[in-house]
Amino acid sequence: MGPDHSPSHPPVKDITVQTIRVAIVDDVPEIREVLNLYVESLSGLELVGEAINGAEALELVARTEPDVVLMDLQMPVLDGIEATVALRESYPELTVIALTTFVDHYYVTGALRAGVHGYLLKNSSPSQVDTAIRAALEGRTLIDRRALASLVASMNAADYPQGDPWAQLSEDEQSIVKLVCWGKTDQEIADQLDSSLPSMKRQLNSIYNTLGINTRLQILVEAGRYNFPIFD
């Protein structure tokens, strides 16, 4: 998996026939051990390596080419948010899922803007981790309800920024944004819009370019920041 700086989102993978390669990044040995046991206990997952900080994570991904990185956020040397930014720039097809103890909106917003595809807490069960991994690879997202509540509360308290990016989107693109916020998969969106999947993905990438983002979760963040009329 060589570096690629073009904007993109992870392609939908056929996870029914492919072993999912997972890397773990956390500075606490006990947490790495628990996550290691999680991965080993779940069918279809393979642990390819561990790192103790964001800097090691960059080396680990380059060396082992995982499909998914389970990323802690607060670590020495290079934290998880900074590491996610670097990984998403070099490997836009890589799926990164935040796995942390923090629900403060500072961490939630920072992780989403960095480009994570899911946000879980460290007390998540093996089945929740498995669900988040498979959801992300299917083009869906999973965010812990406590983290989501913190994010919504911070949005409600904030002043809306200047500008109207909603008006810059075409009618079809606005429909896609609404459906993404409603949790629809890429295929479900294409079906609902009576469009082909490749055509829908081209429109999704156009939305990313317009909003200056590169993941579905970031659409949710921007929808909250600018008060997009997603329920109209």
mmCIF file of all heavy atoms in Angstrom, residues 150-170:
data_model
loop_
_atom_site.group_PDB
_atom_site.id
_atom_site.type_symbol
_atom_site.label_atom_id
_atom_site.label_comp_id
_atom_site.label_asym_id
_atom_site.label_seq_id
_atom_site.Cartn_x
_atom_site.Cartn_y
_atom_site.Cartn_z
ATOM 1 N N SER A 150 -22.110 14.332 23.443
ATOM 2 C CA SER A 150 -21.173 15.418 23.718
ATOM 3 C C SER A 150 -20.986 16.298 22.493
ATOM 4 O O SER A 150 -20.941 17.530 22.588
ATOM 5 C CB SER A 150 -19.824 14.839 24.156
ATOM 6 O OG SER A 150 -18.858 15.852 24.317
ATOM 7 N N LEU A 151 -20.904 15.666 21.332
ATOM 8 C CA LEU A 151 -20.733 16.409 20.087
ATOM 9 C C LEU A 151 -21.945 17.289 19.809
ATOM 10 O O LEU A 151 -21.811 18.472 19.472
ATOM 11 C CB LEU A 151 -20.511 15.429 18.936
ATOM 12 C CG LEU A 151 -20.335 16.023 17.546
ATOM 13 C CD1 LEU A 151 -19.059 16.851 17.480
ATOM 14 C CD2 LEU A 151 -20.307 14.915 16.497
ATOM 15 N N VAL A 152 -23.133 16.730 19.961
ATOM 16 C CA VAL A 152 -24.360 17.492 19.710
ATOM 17 C C VAL A 152 -24.480 18.658 20.677
ATOM 18 O O VAL A 152 -24.843 19.775 20.296
ATOM 19 C CB VAL A 152 -25.591 16.570 19.812
ATOM 20 C CG1 VAL A 152 -26.878 17.390 19.781
ATOM 21 C CG2 VAL A 152 -25.583 15.554 18.680
ATOM 22 N N ALA A 153 -24.148 18.429 21.952
ATOM 23 C CA ALA A 153 -24.221 19.496 22.950
ATOM 24 C C ALA A 153 -23.281 20.638 22.601
ATOM 25 O O ALA A 153 -23.631 21.818 22.737
ATOM 26 C CB ALA A 153 -23.893 18.940 24.331
ATOM 27 N N SER A 154 -22.081 20.311 22.137
ATOM 28 C CA SER A 154 -21.121 21.357 21.784
ATOM 29 C C SER A 154 -21.589 22.134 20.564
ATOM 30 O O SER A 154 -21.379 23.342 20.461
ATOM 31 C CB SER A 154 -19.742 20.749 21.519
ATOM 32 O OG SER A 154 -19.724 20.000 20.317
ATOM 33 N N MET A 155 -22.242 21.452 19.626
ATOM 34 C CA MET A 155 -22.762 22.131 18.441
ATOM 35 C C MET A 155 -23.893 23.079 18.812
ATOM 36 O O MET A 155 -24.001 24.189 18.295
ATOM 37 C CB MET A 155 -23.255 21.100 17.424
ATOM 38 C CG MET A 155 -22.152 20.317 16.750
ATOM 39 S SD MET A 155 -22.822 19.023 15.686
ATOM 40 C CE MET A 155 -21.306 18.390 14.950
ATOM 41 N N ASN A 156 -24.745 22.636 19.724
ATOM 42 C CA ASN A 156 -25.870 23.478 20.140
ATOM 43 C C ASN A 156 -25.399 24.736 20.857
ATOM 44 O O ASN A 156 -26.050 25.782 20.802
ATOM 45 C CB ASN A 156 -26.803 22.688 21.060
ATOM 46 C CG ASN A 156 -27.570 21.612 20.318
ATOM 47 O OD1 ASN A 156 -27.730 21.678 19.106
ATOM 48 N ND2 ASN A 156 -28.043 20.612 21.044
ATOM 49 N N ALA A 157 -24.244 24.634 21.529
ATOM 50 C CA ALA A 157 -23.739 25.772 22.296
ATOM 51 C C ALA A 157 -22.917 26.734 21.448
ATOM 52 O O ALA A 157 -22.655 27.858 21.855
ATOM 53 C CB ALA A 157 -22.879 25.272 23.455
ATOM 54 N N ALA A 158 -22.509 26.293 20.265
ATOM 55 C CA ALA A 158 -21.604 27.100 19.443
ATOM 56 C C ALA A 158 -22.371 28.024 18.503
ATOM 57 O O ALA A 158 -23.497 27.739 18.099
ATOM 58 C CB ALA A 158 -20.698 26.180 18.630
ATOM 59 N N ASP A 159 -21.745 29.140 18.170
ATOM 60 C CA ASP A 159 -22.278 30.015 17.137
ATOM 61 C C ASP A 159 -21.993 29.392 15.779
ATOM 62 O O ASP A 159 -20.939 28.799 15.562
ATOM 63 C CB ASP A 159 -21.616 31.397 17.202
ATOM 64 C CG ASP A 159 -21.973 32.146 18.478
ATOM 65 O OD1 ASP A 159 -23.081 31.906 18.999
ATOM 66 O OD2 ASP A 159 -21.141 32.937 18.943
ATOM 67 N N TYR A 160 -22.933 29.537 14.853
ATOM 68 C CA TYR A 160 -22.715 28.986 13.526
ATOM 69 C C TYR A 160 -21.667 29.809 12.793
ATOM 70 O O TYR A 160 -21.691 31.037 12.827
ATOM 71 C CB TYR A 160 -24.019 28.981 12.721
ATOM 72 C CG TYR A 160 -25.080 28.097 13.313
ATOM 73 C CD1 TYR A 160 -26.358 28.584 13.553
ATOM 74 C CD2 TYR A 160 -24.803 26.782 13.648
ATOM 75 C CE1 TYR A 160 -27.335 27.774 14.112
ATOM 76 C CE2 TYR A 160 -25.775 25.966 14.209
ATOM 77 C CZ TYR A 160 -27.036 26.469 14.436
ATOM 78 O OH TYR A 160 -27.993 25.676 14.985
ATOM 79 N N PRO A 161 -20.721 29.160 12.115
ATOM 80 C CA PRO A 161 -19.694 29.898 11.382
ATOM 81 C C PRO A 161 -20.287 30.606 10.168
ATOM 82 O O PRO A 161 -21.410 30.332 9.751
ATOM 83 C CB PRO A 161 -18.708 28.799 10.964
ATOM 84 C CG PRO A 161 -19.483 27.540 11.014
ATOM 85 C CD PRO A 161 -20.557 27.716 12.045
ATOM 86 N N GLN A 162 -19.497 31.516 9.624
ATOM 87 C CA GLN A 162 -19.940 32.261 8.453
ATOM 88 C C GLN A 162 -19.931 31.360 7.221
ATOM 89 O O GLN A 162 -19.214 30.373 7.145
ATOM 90 C CB GLN A 162 -19.019 33.467 8.226
ATOM 91 C CG GLN A 162 -19.034 34.474 9.367
ATOM 92 C CD GLN A 162 -20.399 35.107 9.553
ATOM 93 O OE1 GLN A 162 -21.040 35.510 8.580
ATOM 94 N NE2 GLN A 162 -20.848 35.189 10.791
ATOM 95 N N GLY A 163 -20.721 31.740 6.220
ATOM 96 C CA GLY A 163 -20.751 30.995 4.972
ATOM 97 C C GLY A 163 -21.928 30.045 4.906
ATOM 98 O O GLY A 163 -22.574 29.748 5.912
ATOM 99 N N ASP A 164 -22.206 29.575 3.707
ATOM 100 C CA ASP A 164 -23.330 28.676 3.495
ATOM 101 C C ASP A 164 -22.918 27.570 2.530
ATOM 102 O O ASP A 164 -23.290 27.583 1.354
ATOM 103 C CB ASP A 164 -24.531 29.448 2.940
ATOM 104 C CG ASP A 164 -25.770 28.577 2.814
ATOM 105 O OD1 ASP A 164 -25.773 27.463 3.377
ATOM 106 O OD2 ASP A 164 -26.731 29.003 2.142
ATOM 107 N N PRO A 165 -22.130 26.598 3.007
ATOM 108 C CA PRO A 165 -21.689 25.520 2.115
ATOM 109 C C PRO A 165 -22.845 24.684 1.587
ATOM 110 O O PRO A 165 -22.724 24.062 0.530
ATOM 111 C CB PRO A 165 -20.744 24.692 2.987
ATOM 112 C CG PRO A 165 -21.104 25.036 4.390
ATOM 113 C CD PRO A 165 -21.565 26.459 4.353
ATOM 114 N N TRP A 166 -23.973 24.659 2.309
ATOM 115 C CA TRP A 166 -25.142 23.909 1.839
ATOM 116 C C TRP A 166 -25.580 24.405 0.468
ATOM 117 O O TRP A 166 -25.920 23.612 -0.412
ATOM 118 C CB TRP A 166 -26.276 24.055 2.843
ATOM 119 C CG TRP A 166 -27.537 23.309 2.494
ATOM 120 C CD1 TRP A 166 -28.689 23.827 1.985
ATOM 121 C CD2 TRP A 166 -27.769 21.903 2.629
ATOM 122 N NE1 TRP A 166 -29.627 22.842 1.800
ATOM 123 C CE2 TRP A 166 -29.091 21.646 2.191
ATOM 124 C CE3 TRP A 166 -26.994 20.841 3.087
ATOM 125 C CZ2 TRP A 166 -29.639 20.371 2.193
ATOM 126 C CZ3 TRP A 166 -27.545 19.565 3.090
ATOM 127 C CH2 TRP A 166 -28.850 19.344 2.641
ATOM 128 N N ALA A 167 -25.535 25.714 0.275
ATOM 129 C CA ALA A 167 -25.966 26.297 -0.994
ATOM 130 C C ALA A 167 -25.013 25.959 -2.133
ATOM 131 O O ALA A 167 -25.382 26.074 -3.312
ATOM 132 C CB ALA A 167 -26.090 27.812 -0.857
ATOM 133 N N GLN A 168 -23.792 25.541 -1.797
ATOM 134 C CA GLN A 168 -22.814 25.195 -2.829
ATOM 135 C C GLN A 168 -22.998 23.766 -3.340
ATOM 136 O O GLN A 168 -22.374 23.374 -4.326
ATOM 137 C CB GLN A 168 -21.399 25.357 -2.277
ATOM 138 C CG GLN A 168 -21.068 26.766 -1.810
ATOM 139 C CD GLN A 168 -19.701 26.845 -1.169
ATOM 140 O OE1 GLN A 168 -18.767 26.152 -1.577
ATOM 141 N NE2 GLN A 168 -19.571 27.673 -0.139
ATOM 142 N N LEU A 169 -23.856 23.006 -2.676
ATOM 143 C CA LEU A 169 -24.099 21.625 -3.077
ATOM 144 C C LEU A 169 -25.275 21.556 -4.045
ATOM 145 O O LEU A 169 -26.246 22.305 -3.914
ATOM 146 C CB LEU A 169 -24.405 20.761 -1.849
ATOM 147 C CG LEU A 169 -23.332 20.715 -0.755
ATOM 148 C CD1 LEU A 169 -23.846 19.929 0.441
ATOM 149 C CD2 LEU A 169 -22.041 20.111 -1.286
ATOM 150 N N SER A 170 -25.188 20.642 -5.005
ATOM 151 C CA SER A 170 -26.311 20.430 -5.911
ATOM 152 C C SER A 170 -27.455 19.758 -5.154
ATOM 153 O O SER A 170 -27.285 19.274 -4.030
ATOM 154 C CB SER A 170 -25.887 19.555 -7.088
ATOM 155 O OG SER A 170 -25.639 18.222 -6.647
#
